[in-house]
């Protein structure tokens, strides 16, 4: 949300090794010292924060006079990223996956257990006038220190079906987005995924043909679970309708008898 926060009840963690993970998309450059996930149990602060310049930072059993430890990782604005804080007894590691690769910032420090016995805040530290201006998803707390390969598994599992397919085809960064057109052929990753065409080789999966008064959109529906293909027509590019089509797995046809007709395919999730 925008300038909002959520409070969660005490977690009462027992393992001194802990991992915090989240997906975050900053809406803008953040105010100084805003919290992503914060806990203030026993007058000690623990959690993930952002300092000036969108730099990822953390606190772990920090006293009132202690400032957040800054990392070398910077979150971009307006892009989904995966972040993690991994606590070992003698080491703290921050991770950031920006869609290209997993980056890390290691801090050699002795850590004691933080039990999160008081309530925690998401998007706010409970005191500061500043709140996180961002979208958050999949916030998780593990009572163990996840190794890098397991963090990659968590990242991969958090991708959408389309983004996971794009990742498997070797795409990175903004090209992972469902509405991106990674190969520049005028067809989005989402449509190419649903129609079973390559996301990296320019080649439109849709062709048109006209015969005996029928205008046909030729395509192959891969029947991807959770998606619906909707053919639409218009005579003015303003008002669109899906009525009148004859649909099969090989395409969609509609009678075309007017002076002009425009057709398109729209893909939506169920």
């Amino acid at each position: 949300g925008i300038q909002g926060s959520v409070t969660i009840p005490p977690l009462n963690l027992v393992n001194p090794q802990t991992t915090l993970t989240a997906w975050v998309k900053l809406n803008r450059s953040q105010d100084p010292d805003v919290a992503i996930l914060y806990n203030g149990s026993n007058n000690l602060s623990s959690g993930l924060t952002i300092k000036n310049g969108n730099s990822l930072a953390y606190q772990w059993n920090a006293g009132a006079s202690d400032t957040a430890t800054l990392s070398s990782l910077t979150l971009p604005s307006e892009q989904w990223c995966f972040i993690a804080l991994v606590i070992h007894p003698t080491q703290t590691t921050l991770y950031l996956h920006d869609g290209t690769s997993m980056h890390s910032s290691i801090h050699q420090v002795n850590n004691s257990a933080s039990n999160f016995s008081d309530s925690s805040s998401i998007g706010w530290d409970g005191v500061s006038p500043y709140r996180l201006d961002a979208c958050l998803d999949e916030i998780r707390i593990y009572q163990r220190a996840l190794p890098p390969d397991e963090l990659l598994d968590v990242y991969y599992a958090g991708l959408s079906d389309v983004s996971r397919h794009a990742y498997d085809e070797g795409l990175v960064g903004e090209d992972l987005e469902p509405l991106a057109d990674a190969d520049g052929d005028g067809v989005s990753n989402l449509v190419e995924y649903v129609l079973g065409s390559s996301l990296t080789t320019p080649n439109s999966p849709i062709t048109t043909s006209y015969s005996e008064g029928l205008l046909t959109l030729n395509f192959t529906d891969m029947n991807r679970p959770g998606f619906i293909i909707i053919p639409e027509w218009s005579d003015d590019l303003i008002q669109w309708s899906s009525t009148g089509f004859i649909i099969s797995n090989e395409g969609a046809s509609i009678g075309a008898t007017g002076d002009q007709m425009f057709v398109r395919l729209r893909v939506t999730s169920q």
Side-chain angles (χ1 to χ4, degrees), residues 147-160:
D149 58 338
E150 287 193 47
L151 287 173
L152 278 173
D153 290 341
V154 177
Y155 163 79
Y156 185 79
L159 296 173
S160 67

Side-chain angles (χ1 to χ4, degrees), residues 85-165:
L85 170 66
V86 180
I87 302 295
H88 289 269
T90 59
Q91 178 177 290
T92 300
T93 307
L94 285 161
Y95 292 90
L96 165 65
H97 201 307
D98 56 6
T100 302
S101 60
M102 187 77 84
H103 309 276
S104 64
S105 179
I106 300 174
H107 305 262
Q108 303 295 341
V109 60
N110 291 326
N111 292 311
S112 57
S114 180
N115 59 17
F116 283 55
S117 58
D118 290 341
S119 61
S120 301
S121 297
I122 297 173
W124 185 41
D125 65 5
V127 178
S128 169
Y130 305 117
R131 297 181 188 239
L132 185 70
D133 187 356
C135 300
L136 293 172
D137 197 11
E138 292 281 338
I139 297 175
R140 300 182 182 186
I141 300 177
Y142 300 84
Q143 293 192 70
R144 60 190 181 90
L146 267 61
D149 58 338
E150 287 193 47
L151 287 173
L152 278 173
D153 290 341
V154 177
Y155 163 79
Y156 185 79
L159 296 173
S160 67
D161 289 343
V162 180
S163 295
R164 192 177 301 121
H165 181 70

Side-chain angles (χ1 to χ4, degrees), residues 215-217 230-246 252-266:
L215 178 61
T216 301
L217 285 169
I230 304 173
E232 296 179 327
W233 68 272
S234 173
D235 57 12
D236 59 7
L237 294 176
I238 299 174
Q239 301 295 325
W240 291 88
S241 173
S242 61
T243 60
F245 280 95
I246 303 170
S253 300
I254 190 170
T257 58
D259 293 334
Q260 65 179 7
M261 174 177 280
F262 305 94
V263 290
R264 70 181 184 184
L265 281 184
R266 183 163 59 89

